[in-house]
Amino acid sequence: MAAIDFNALRAQTLDSGADEEAVTVNTRALIDKVLARYSGEWTTLRELIQNAADASATKVTIRFETIPSATIPLPQDASPSSLLKHAVQHHTLKRLVVTNNGQPFNENDWTRLKRIAEGNPDETKIGAFGVGFYSTFADCEEPFVSSGREAMAFFWKKNSLFTRRLKLPEGDGNMDTNFVLDFRDTTSTIPSLLSLGQFLASSLTFVGIERIELWIDQWNILSLNKKTSPSQDIPIVREVEPKTEDGFMKVTKVSKELAQIDGEWMPIVAFNPSQSGATRSTKGEDAPSLRKFFSRLAGGAQQEESSTPNANSSSAPPNKHQKQT
Ligand SMILES: Nc1ncnc2c1ncn2[C@@H]1O[C@H](COP(=O)(O)OP(=O)(O)OP(=O)(O)O)[C@@H](O)[C@H]1O
Ligand SMILES: [Mg+2]
């Protein structure tokens, strides 16, 4: 059989005069595939915190809004602490709102937001791939973003994703950026607050943000504040080769900066609904607490307090603790 001349065949195909057709993408399937490579606990928050840091925000606020239980009645004793404990145990998730006070979106940011995988050539930013925002689709069907006086709503028509924009008149809105994520599944309960608190405390050490607040409905259950010393350049030791083998990257400067994180939280953060009930003791070796977590991070520099936060008294004064890195 004569060999096919593929070059000629390709040229013939291209010249065939048939209508050219763009390659199409099933956006939903594409996002699912991006998500499959990107999933993990707290991925969405990690991405939104990174984006806030890239926008030079100093503060990030995370707020879970909940739906009251349809079956379990409110506690008889309607004190703030038992209402909060009831919410953590029995409410389900309605919405997550992540707010930052960074540079509001400019025209280029809005354009990039609706282009999946448009890379960012700016080397000073953490973000590079243009996919981080799409992690919001893991738990949210139709995200809504507002920034300064503008907003963008995402919505689906079958498997295609669309956006609509709004510009508010001068004077309306503030300069914050908000990611409003309505949960696709409104039957899940509030995530582990201890694990979330630990994640936020660790995140704060890595980014330029100074303050992270965590809210559940009207309760500010955790605030983390970072103070940093002015950075000090230190010499690169001789034994360290500052260039990668192919010369792709080079360390040009090493500087040292001391950071201190002050944490203030309600005892509910250490409350574990799966172990609730009279049998659980909050004292003792294994009782989880952010205080212990901070002590561990501080490498034992902090004195370990003897009392462990009491899960049953969430209206008690918030705990304060510090960690130094
Ligand atoms: N104040 C802000 N808060 C959060 N995001 C912002 C803010 N201002 C601008 N943005 C924009 O949000 C988008 C970030 O999206 P995304 O995380 O998907 O991409 P990336 O950060 O460039 O890349 P990567 O996938 O590596 O995170 C960027 O277009 C960024 O410019
Ligand atoms: Mg990003």
Side-chain angles (χ1 to χ4, degrees):
M1 202 174 75
I4 300 173
D5 179 349
F6 288 116
N7 288 340
L9 191 59
R10 180 169 186 271
Q12 195 187 340
T13 308
L14 287 172
D15 290 342
S16 68
D19 281 347
E20 61 186 24
E21 290 174 49
V23 173
T24 57
V25 59
N26 174 332
T27 316
R28 195 179 279 278
L30 177 70
I31 291 177
D32 281 350
K33 280 173 188 144
V34 170
L35 288 177
R37 281 161 188 245
Y38 237 101
S39 61
E41 216 184 9
W42 317 125
T43 302
T44 301
L45 288 177
R46 186 190 69 206
E47 294 298 331
L48 295 182
I49 290 170
Q50 280 179 6
N51 288 349
D54 278 348
S56 311
T58 54
K59 180 177 169 187
V60 173
T61 305
I62 296 156
R63 184 193 302 269
F64 287 98
E65 294 178 12
T66 70
I67 307 169
S69 164
T71 51
I72 301 165
L74 285 177
Q76 295 277 303
D77 139 39
S79 67
S81 78
S82 45
L83 287 176
L84 173 58
K85 192 173 159 209
H86 173 85
V88 170
Q89 273 182 297
H90 305 299
H91 286 200
T92 53
L93 295 174
K94 180 172 77 176
R95 169 178 284 184
L96 171 64
V97 184
V98 182
T99 303
N100 74 65
N101 65 350
Q103 299 285 328
F105 273 56
N106 59 29
E107 202 48 43
N108 189 33
D109 291 321
W110 290 118
T111 307
R112 290 187 66 234
L113 197 65
K114 58 185 168 59
R115 292 202 182 147
I116 302 179
E118 173 128 317
N120 187 353
D122 185 342
E123 292 164 11
T124 63
K125 307 286 186 202
I126 308 171
F129 305 109
V131 293
F133 165 71
Y134 285 84
S135 66
T136 58
F137 286 89
D139 297 318
C140 170
E141 186 72 359
E142 300 190 325
F144 173 72
V145 183
S146 79
S147 187
R149 278 190 293 276
E150 295 180 60
M152 182 177 276
F154 287 76
F155 60 97
W156 291 96
K157 284 188 190 172
K158 298 218 172 103
N159 287 330
S160 300
L161 187 59
F162 291 81
T163 60
R164 238 191 252 283
R165 274 187 66 185
L166 175 75
K167 290 188 192 195
L168 293 170
E170 289 281 323
D172 288 12
N174 64 24
M175 295 320 267
D176 283 348
T177 296
N178 301 286
F179 292 82
V180 182
L181 310 171
D182 286 350
F183 283 92
R184 185 181 287 119
D185 168 12
T186 53
T187 63
S188 49
T189 48
I190 290 169
S192 159
L193 297 175
L194 183 64
S195 153
L196 177 54
Q198 291 176 347
F199 163 77
L200 295 176
S202 316
S203 302
L204 192 55
T205 55
F206 294 110
V207 291
I209 289 163
E210 290 162 19
R211 183 176 172 86
I212 298 184
E213 284 180 9
L214 175 63
W215 293 70
I216 294 178
D217 296 323
Q218 70 272 37
W219 293 287
N220 176 196
I221 63 160
L222 169 70
S223 302
L224 299 163
N225 249 315
K226 184 172 72 180
K227 290 188 210 112
T228 41
S229 68
S231 76
Q232 220 184 346
D233 286 355
I234 51 173
I236 303 175
V237 285
R238 243 172 237 219
E239 295 75 43
V240 172
E241 171 54 57
K243 258 196 205 156
T244 53
E245 242 169 57
D246 49 9
F248 184 62
M249 284 198 278
K250 185 178 170 210
V251 177
T252 53
K253 194 177 95 169
V254 177
S255 56
K256 182 175 140 182
E257 195 173 87
L258 289 176
Q260 171 179 314
I261 295 182
D262 295 331
E264 208 172 312
W265 62 92
M266 287 187 178
I268 194 76
V269 170
F271 172 66
N272 181 349
S274 64
Q275 289 179 18
S276 65
T279 53
R280 182 173 172 256
S281 158
T282 54
K283 294 230 166 80
E285 281 303 290
D286 298 321
S289 82
L290 262 183
R291 194 173 291 186
K292 278 194 176 159
F293 170 73
F294 276 136
S295 308
R296 210 173 63 231
L297 269 188
Q302 300 291 330
Q303 234 186 318
E304 185 82 66
E305 267 102 326
S306 54
S307 77
T308 311
N310 180 354
N312 298 317
S313 60
S314 47
S315 60
N319 292 298
K320 283 192 189 182
H321 209 59
Q322 300 177 338
K323 117 180 155 157
Q324 284 180 316
T325 51

